[in-house]
Amino acid sequence: MDIDKNSSGQQTEEADFSELTEELTEKSKQKKFFPIIAMGGSAGSFHAFEAFFRHTPKDTGFAFVIIMHLDPEQNIGLSELIQKSASIPVVEAEDGLKLIPDHIYVIPPARDMGIHNGHLLLFNESRSKGAHMCIDYFLQSLAEDQWNYAVGIVFSGMGADGETGLRMIKEKLGMAMVQLPETAEYSSMPEAAIKTGMIDYILPPEEMPGKLIQYLNHPALKTVGTDELLKERNNHTHLNKILMMLRSHTGHDFTLYKKNTITRRVERRIAFHQLPDYINYVNFLRENPQEIEILFKELLIGVTKFFRDTPAFEQLKEYLYARLIKKSPDESIRIWIAGCSTGEEAYSVAIFVMEFLSAMKSRPQPKVQIFATDLDPNAIDHARAGFYFSNISSEISAEHLDKYFIKKNNGYVVKKEVRELIVFAQHNLIKDAPFTRLDLLCCRNVMIYLTADLQKKLMPIFHYSLNIGGILFLGPAESVGIFNDAFNVLDSKWRLYERKDGVSVAGKMIDFPFNITNQSDKNMKGLQEKPVAKSLLAERFHKVLLEAYTPSSLLVDDKGEILYINGKVDKYLKFPSGEASMNIHKVVVEELRYALGNAIHQSVLEKAKVEYTGLKINFNGISQLVDFSVDRLDDTQLQNLFVVVFIDRGPVKKKPGAIGKRNTIQGAAVEGLEKELTYTKQQLHTTIEQMETSLEELKSTNEELQSTNEELQSTNEEALTTKEEMQSLNEELMTINLQYQNKAEELTRMNNDMKNLLDNTDIGTIFLDNNLNILRFTPQVNKLFNVINSDVGRSITHIASNFDYPSIETAILEVIEKLNGKELEVKTKTNDWYNLRIMPYRTMDNFISGAVLTFTKITPVKALERKFSSLLSYIQATVDHLHHAAIILDKDGKVMVVNSFFLQMFQMRESEIKEQFFMEIVHNRWNTDKLDALFLTEEKHPKLYLQHDFPGLGMKKLMIHVEYVPEAKQEEYTVSIVNFIEKESE
């Protein structure tokens, strides 16, 4: 890529060279720094730490800091345990401790830890906004303190702690590494970090030390000396090649981005691939187009958080509400979040707007349009999804989480009503048209990556986009620069500005879309393409009028900055030597300075024309009279600007005659002193007004300080209360943990008991879900179904059975639907009989979650049943052969067999007496208790003569005798035979 040899090209070359020199100076200052490796982990990470330090040499030159979730009640002595596997000293961190290389520092239990200027700082554990995120806290602190010398590693753990911290480290040009989830005991934290898309290496713990040493010791990341200046200079040419390939591949031009930022990102990629220099990286890019995409994402890394810089958002809320409440209901609320990254800032502003609308329910609701844009399409997709990990609970209050988010899996999703307020779109600030008529424009931490020239071009665009009185919200390290006249400062600390009424310098400097070519060439092109005026006569006439017939005049703003000069003003303006200034208060001649200053101030206050006459000035040794006026312009395009018109009255005229000469001189002196006194009084009056205004501001500031002090005292009390609550909560958690351990042990025992019970009973059992898929089965089921262990999860209808019952699926579904159990007897193909019982599967909270099938073998029972049926048939045939009425009773007195003579004699049906208690028939149907004695006697063969009037049968005379089988009643008889023989007399 050729370098232009013209003067403008040389200036550009010198500017680039100067920038490289500054970078070298900055790098030389960083020699005192050394890499600091922050290692965060939670549950199950101890073994990963051991594996890491077993493979770490003792002379790496790095400092290691371990941030682990530790239980304050269980002091496990983490330092001593890690020392067993480490070859370098391990110490527990102390407040104010300075880090030194080749040492390991461990966070104490129940503390938060930060770092400042290489010193560890300890704080009491805080959960003011939700879950305790000590890893995120330290990683963010490390990123701010060490920048590209910071390395963050996330190990095993539950939750998403560390995800935000790694993004902050990547934003500051650091390196991020994560444990391979497959090797982690708990993979939630590593997986959450990987989903950011910003992780450099994903490795098992034992491979991490080698990769760290290889990466951090690469020459591209080492400090450079002045002898390597030429190498840096040559790299500039190759950097241009890289920018060209980025523009060709992605369509985005990074020429106007700060070279230092781009260079650092490129050097990181060179170190990542272990390439020797820029030349090799250029070749690598040409051979691997996917690397261009990765570099593009690296350059677009923009990290944000919900309500980042909370005090700034509180100030924004105050000014935004004050502006929105003045809007009429038919005016829409328009907001633009430029450089929204993954959407946290856009949703933060949307929450403010939702709260404002909720407070204004009595008024008609205005239409809300929030535009959130970014250059990175992946970030926009993330923002559109509106899903964020659970660690945002440390950034958002519990009230906001509950009101505007829905908990889902291991994170939160923005509610639909908040999401619908925002339109997310890919947008390039440099070449895409801006959004206009805005009430609020947020562009935070974007311009810090852009060159000063591009910032100067962006600010007029922002000014144009805002409504009059609209709010501009910038990052803490950004400002409006030279465009102070275009904005009022609302809060200088948190960079809140308000667009001024009218048009200022910013309005004249809009240059869009931006052109990165040489400005002089652009101007020359404009001159060449400018069309010839149609009427040269009219143009010349206007020029003569302005130069010869209009008074000398100036166009100034309210601060006195000269924007335009008409006519000759050399009598009234005097430019001193030194730094050039175009402020009228500094360049106007001494005789007019106070009067002109008062006139401008008075015109600003009264918004009216102010005139001064008969002022004397000294021009080339001659006293001359001058009148001037200051008038505020009402033109739409020139609002808030003032025109200063000078009228030359010529030299001071001297009155003739020697007699009145002295009086004339004295009168002139007195008149001059009186005018000077008048000006002095006016100046004093103005000073007093300014002092009163300053005094009011000081009073207001004092009240704010007192309020802040009260808030700090309240915050301190809340912190003490929170500490006590946390101690109490920790005790409760310990108790709950103990209960969980006991429950886990109890559950293990119950599972073992259940397994042994199911395996050792001769009852086959199958557990099914609602879709008839097999969940579990006992070994006995193998005799009934052709099922193996791998069939778990398959439908039972797909498994071949060994018995003939085709409608088993229908029976199971009927049980699940009607919740009524079923019992069936089924026969296998090997002639074995089973009792099949189908019951609904009920959970502990009484929900139906499938069915349970139990198979009990009843083959012996069926055999006995057949024998018993045969025996009953034989007894029935034997009793039927008797020539008198007879019945056979079982041990309980139920009728087992009855013959036909009995049925004819007593006119009964077999169904009326069989399986009935005989004595109930005697008592209830025959209405007699005379047979009671027959069954209560101890005789072996009791007999009874009965003469009784049977209802519906008449008088009968019967000889009744009982035979027991076996013969003696005392021998636990099985059955008894009762014979009824009709006789005339006993």
Side-chain angles (χ1 to χ4, degrees):
M1 186 176 290
D2 296 333
I3 300 175
D4 295 337
K5 301 298 182 181
N6 56 25
S7 60
S8 61
Q10 291 174 359
Q11 291 174 0
T12 304
E13 187 174 328
E14 290 173 1
D16 294 338
F17 191 81
S18 175
E19 186 177 357
L20 289 171
T21 306
E22 290 176 4
E23 184 177 355
L24 288 174
T25 305
E26 180 185 349
K27 288 184 177 181
S28 65
K29 292 179 181 178
Q30 294 177 343
K31 290 182 180 179
K32 61 182 180 179
F33 290 100
F34 51 86
I36 297 177
I37 319 299
M39 307 168 66
S42 181
S45 60
F46 175 72
H47 298 299
F49 291 148
E50 283 188 320
F52 180 93
F53 288 114
R54 276 199 301 267
H55 294 79
T56 303
K58 60 182 179 180
D59 55 353
T60 60
F62 310 153
F64 301 90
V65 182
I66 295 177
I67 313 97
M68 189 175 178
H69 297 159
L70 299 174
D71 191 339
E73 300 296 327
Q74 297 180 358
N75 189 2
I76 61 174
L78 184 62
S79 303
E80 293 79 5
L81 293 175
I82 292 180
Q83 186 66 78
K84 295 178 181 178
S85 56
S87 59
I88 56 178
V90 182
V91 296
E92 185 170 276
E94 298 177 359
D95 201 11
L97 182 64
K98 180 177 176 60
L99 274 72
I100 57 177
D102 296 320
H103 278 70
I104 302 169
Y105 302 89
V106 179
I107 188 173
R111 303 299 294 272
D112 280 336
M113 187 164 66
I115 183 171
H116 182 69
N117 290 335
H119 291 76
L120 296 178
L121 304 174
L122 300 180
F123 304 89
N124 290 333
E125 185 180 78
S126 172
R127 300 193 188 189
S128 59
K129 283 191 175 181
H132 181 220
M133 300 292 172
C134 59
I135 301 174
D136 272 336
Y137 187 87
F138 183 79
L139 290 181
Q140 293 178 50
S141 172
L142 180 66
E144 294 290 342
D145 191 64
Q146 299 295 314
W147 281 68
N148 55 312
Y149 282 84
V151 175
I153 308 178
V154 168
F155 289 88
S156 167
M158 301 294 291
D161 195 9
E163 181 254 359
T164 301
L166 288 184
R167 290 195 285 129
M168 294 293 178
I169 283 180
K170 288 288 292 182
E171 182 190 29
K172 303 299 184 183
L173 303 169
M175 193 262 271
M177 186 180 285
V178 166
Q179 181 179 358
L180 186 68
E182 288 78 4
T183 66
E185 293 187 31
Y186 298 93
S187 60
S188 296
M189 279 172 48
E191 287 174 350
I194 292 170
K195 287 180 181 178
T196 63
M198 299 183 183
I199 306 305
D200 294 300
Y201 298 101
I202 305 171
L203 300 169
E206 57 272 12
E207 296 181 17
M208 290 180 178
K211 188 60 69 176
L212 272 175
I213 295 169
Q214 188 183 52
Y215 175 86
L216 293 172
N217 288 328
H218 192 278
L221 302 181
K222 288 291 183 180
T223 57
V224 297
T226 54
D227 56 335
E228 298 185 18
L229 187 61
L230 182 59
K231 180 180 177 182
E232 292 282 342
R233 187 78 187 100
N234 291 335
N235 287 343
H236 178 66
T237 301
H238 300 297
L239 185 62
N240 286 333
K241 296 179 182 178
I242 294 171
L243 295 179
M244 184 195 71
M245 284 188 281
L246 278 170
R247 184 177 61 187
S248 301
H249 188 81
T250 66
H252 298 292
D253 196 338
F254 288 91
T255 305
L256 295 176
Y257 279 58
K258 285 184 179 177
K259 292 294 186 294
N260 284 356
T261 301
I262 299 175
T263 302
R264 296 278 181 82
R265 299 290 185 193
V266 170
E267 287 173 351
R268 290 187 71 261
R269 298 307 300 169
I270 291 174
F272 179 87
H273 292 292
Q274 293 295 296
L275 299 171
D277 50 27
Y278 275 71
I279 300 174
N280 286 272
Y281 186 64
V282 169
N283 295 331
F284 184 82
L285 281 175
R286 296 187 66 187
E287 295 171 2
N288 300 274
Q290 67 274 12
E291 175 64 18
I292 300 179
E293 283 291 337
I294 297 173
L295 179 60
F296 176 64
K297 292 178 181 178
E298 285 273 343
L299 293 173
L300 293 182
I301 287 178
V303 179
T304 184
K305 300 182 351 184
F306 284 96
F307 304 103
R308 188 174 187 179
D309 303 321
T310 304
F313 269 90
E314 290 301 321
Q315 289 295 317
L316 171 66
K317 182 178 180 181
E318 178 182 341
Y319 291 115
L320 180 62
Y321 284 9
R323 170 168 177 77
L324 296 184
I325 203 168
K326 296 177 184 177
K327 294 177 71 69
S328 60
D330 56 339
E331 289 184 279
S332 61
I333 299 173
R334 291 172 63 85
I335 297 172
W336 180 19
I337 315 295
C340 68
S341 188
T342 48
E344 288 90 334
E345 187 172 83
Y347 288 119
S348 301
V349 174
I351 288 172
F352 278 171
V353 175
M354 288 283 290
E355 290 181 336
F356 172 78
L357 296 177
S358 299
M360 297 289 108
K361 284 184 178 178
S362 58
R363 296 176 50 186
Q365 298 288 310
K367 182 181 179 182
V368 179
Q369 295 176 309
I370 301 178
F371 307 100
T373 63
D374 198 272
L375 190 60
D376 186 358
N378 294 324
I380 290 295
D381 292 340
H382 187 167
R384 283 198 186 107
F387 174 80
Y388 301 95
F389 287 107
S390 57
N391 60 340
I392 65 170
S393 59
S394 64
E395 306 165 9
I396 308 176
S397 66
E399 179 185 358
H400 281 159
L401 274 177
D402 183 60
K403 192 173 181 180
Y404 301 109
F405 293 82
I406 299 173
K407 190 167 181 59
K408 182 178 180 182
N409 298 332
N410 60 334
Y412 296 90
V413 177
V414 180
K415 284 189 176 179
K416 183 180 179 182
E417 53 266 30
V418 181
R419 174 64 184 85
E420 288 178 344
L421 293 180
I422 308 175
V423 176
F424 290 101
Q426 189 178 3
H427 182 276
N428 190 333
L429 279 175
I430 298 175
K431 67 179 182 179
D432 293 333
F435 297 90
T436 57
R437 296 182 291 113
L438 302 173
D439 298 296
L440 170 65
L441 198 164
C442 294
C443 185
R444 307 192 73 211
N445 302 319
V446 174
M447 292 193 295
I448 56 175
Y449 299 108
L450 309 178
T451 62
D453 289 339
L454 181 54
Q455 293 181 32
K456 291 177 183 177
K457 292 186 177 185
L458 274 177
M459 205 51 62
I461 298 298
F462 290 168
H463 182 273
Y464 170 77
S465 298
L466 288 166
N467 286 327
I468 295 173
I471 300 171
L472 176 64
F473 188 22
L474 302 179
E478 300 166 335
S479 70
V480 295
I482 63 173
F483 299 100
N484 287 319
D485 61 321
F487 298 92
N488 290 323
V489 179
L490 298 178
D491 191 303
S492 58
K493 179 181 179 181
W494 296 116
R495 301 299 193 263
L496 282 164
Y497 302 91
E498 177 187 53
R499 179 190 163 174
K500 279 187 179 180
D501 186 10
V503 177
S504 62
V505 179
K508 305 186 305 176
M509 297 184 65
I510 294 179
D511 176 21
F512 189 85
F514 308 134
N515 194 342
I516 63 172
T517 58
N518 188 279
Q519 190 66 31
S520 60
D521 295 340
K522 177 181 176 181
N523 293 339
M524 290 297 294
K525 181 179 179 181
L527 289 174
Q528 293 171 1
E529 295 179 355
K530 185 177 180 180
V532 178
K534 292 183 179 179
S535 177
L536 295 176
L537 180 63
E539 184 179 345
R540 184 62 184 170
F541 178 62
H542 289 155
K543 184 177 180 182
V544 170
L545 285 176
L546 287 173
E547 291 180 353
Y549 294 96
T550 59
S552 301
S553 55
L554 305 173
L555 183 66
V556 299
D557 61 12
D558 56 351
K559 294 181 181 178
E561 293 292 334
I562 300 173
L563 306 179
Y564 191 84
I565 299 174
N566 178 66
K568 295 182 179 181
V569 293
D570 52 334
K571 287 185 180 181
Y572 319 111
L573 303 183
K574 182 179 181 181
F575 293 91
S577 60
E579 185 178 355
S581 173
M582 288 299 288
N583 191 290
I584 195 169
H585 300 296
K586 295 182 179 180
V587 299
V588 72
V589 296
E590 185 70 26
E591 295 91 335
L592 301 179
R593 180 166 301 169
Y594 297 110
L596 186 60
N598 288 332
I600 293 176
H601 180 70
Q602 192 173 349
S603 183
V604 170
L605 293 178
E606 298 177 2
K607 296 184 178 179
K609 185 175 182 179
V610 179
E611 295 182 348
Y612 280 78
T613 59
L615 301 177
K616 291 182 181 179
I617 63 171
N618 190 345
F619 182 67
N620 294 333
I622 301 173
S623 293
Q624 297 196 4
L625 291 175
V626 175
D627 298 344
F628 73 84
S629 64
V630 178
D631 192 11
R632 182 177 182 273
L633 298 177
D634 294 326
D635 185 83
T636 306
Q637 300 298 322
L638 298 174
Q639 287 183 6
N640 269 8
L641 299 182
F642 300 84
V643 61
V644 180
V645 178
F646 298 99
I647 300 176
D648 189 359
R649 297 300 184 188
V652 177
K653 295 181 180 180
K654 296 181 181 181
K655 294 182 180 180
I659 299 173
K661 184 175 181 180
R662 180 176 299 174
N663 294 333
T664 303
I665 295 173
Q666 290 177 352
V670 170
E671 185 181 355
L673 290 173
E674 287 177 349
K675 289 183 178 180
E676 186 175 349
L677 179 60
T678 301
Y679 303 151
T680 304
K681 286 180 178 179
Q682 292 176 350
Q683 184 70 22
L684 179 61
H685 180 68
T686 303
T687 304
I688 291 172
E689 289 181 350
Q690 293 175 350
M691 288 296 294
E692 289 176 348
T693 303
S694 299
L695 184 60
E696 291 177 0
E697 291 177 354
L698 286 173
K699 287 180 179 178
S700 176
T701 303
N702 187 42
E703 291 174 359
E704 291 178 0
L705 288 173
Q706 289 177 349
S707 175
T708 303
N709 186 39
E710 292 173 359
E711 290 177 1
L712 286 174
Q713 290 176 349
S714 175
T715 303
N716 188 36
E717 293 173 359
E718 291 176 1
L720 292 174
T721 304
T722 304
K723 181 182 178 182
E724 294 172 358
E725 291 175 354
M726 288 303 301
Q727 290 175 345
S728 174
L729 180 61
N730 187 51
E731 293 174 0
E732 293 177 7
L733 287 174
M734 289 295 296
T735 304
I736 293 172
N737 187 42
L738 183 60
Q739 292 174 350
Y740 279 153
Q741 289 178 349
N742 293 335
K743 288 290 184 183
E745 293 175 0
E746 184 179 346
L747 181 62
T748 301
R749 289 197 302 270
M750 290 178 64
N751 281 335
N752 292 335
D753 294 344
M754 181 63 69
K755 185 177 184 302
N756 281 278
L757 175 65
L758 293 175
D759 289 348
N760 294 310
T761 56
D762 199 25
I763 300 175
T765 308
I766 303 179
F767 296 89
L768 307 176
D769 61 15
N770 286 325
N771 297 321
L772 306 189
N773 296 322
I774 299 173
L775 299 177
R776 184 183 297 178
F777 59 88
T778 60
Q780 292 78 6
V781 174
N782 295 330
K783 301 175 183 177
L784 305 169
F785 291 90
N786 298 328
V787 62
I788 57 177
N789 292 334
S790 61
D791 289 327
V792 172
R794 291 181 60 191
S795 175
I796 195 171
T797 58
H798 299 163
I799 308 298
S801 64
N802 294 326
F803 55 84
D804 299 325
Y805 190 75
S807 58
I808 186 170
E809 178 183 355
T810 305
I812 297 171
L813 292 174
E814 183 181 345
V815 168
I816 294 175
E817 291 175 2
K818 297 184 178 180
L819 309 183
N820 294 323
K822 263 193 175 184
E823 286 199 21
L824 306 168
E825 291 183 355
V826 294
K827 181 182 179 183
T828 67
K829 296 175 182 178
T830 57
N831 293 323
D832 286 330
W833 283 88
Y834 285 86
N835 178 51
L836 168 58
R837 189 179 185 189
I838 307 173
M839 297 296 290
Y841 183 93
R842 295 180 183 272
T843 61
M844 294 295 291
D845 46 2
N846 204 29
F847 281 95
I848 303 303
S849 182
V852 181
L853 279 64
T854 57
F855 298 86
T856 307
K857 191 172 184 178
I858 57 172
T859 303
V861 176
K862 294 296 287 185
L864 288 174
E865 187 180 305
R866 288 196 298 272
K867 290 180 182 179
F868 185 68
S869 297
S870 301
L871 183 59
L872 278 179
S873 299
Y874 173 75
I875 293 172
Q876 183 71 53
T878 303
V879 172
D880 285 340
H881 280 83
L882 296 177
H883 297 291
H884 55 267
I887 60 173
I888 298 179
L889 308 179
D890 62 12
K891 184 178 179 180
D892 297 324
K894 282 186 179 181
V895 178
M896 295 174 59
V897 178
V898 57
N899 66 2
S900 56
F901 289 107
F902 183 91
L903 298 176
Q904 292 173 5
M905 179 182 292
F906 296 105
Q907 296 182 7
M908 297 176 69
R909 291 191 296 272
E910 185 176 2
S911 60
E912 293 177 342
I913 187 171
K914 207 166 186 180
E915 296 298 328
Q916 303 296 321
F917 287 99
F918 177 65
M919 293 310 295
E920 289 183 1
I921 296 173
V922 172
H923 293 154
N924 299 328
R925 189 159 181 168
W926 293 350
N927 295 329
T928 181
D929 56 1
K930 294 178 181 179
L931 270 68
D932 292 354
L934 183 66
F935 291 97
L936 295 176
T937 182
E938 297 296 330
E939 296 181 12
K940 290 185 177 181
H941 302 287
K943 294 181 180 180
L944 175 67
Y945 178 76
L946 176 66
Q947 183 176 345
H948 180 66
D949 186 8
F950 290 89
L953 300 177
M955 181 63 69
K956 286 186 180 291
K957 300 176 182 178
L958 301 173
M959 175 62 69
I960 303 172
H961 64 91
V962 181
E963 299 178 12
Y964 293 102
V965 180
E967 292 185 358
K969 186 178 180 180
Q970 293 80 1
E971 297 179 8
E972 292 295 327
Y973 67 93
T974 303
V975 297
S976 55
I977 304 172
V978 185
N979 300 287
F980 299 85
I981 303 172
E982 286 191 282
K983 288 194 176 183
E984 289 298 325
S985 63
E986 187 178 358

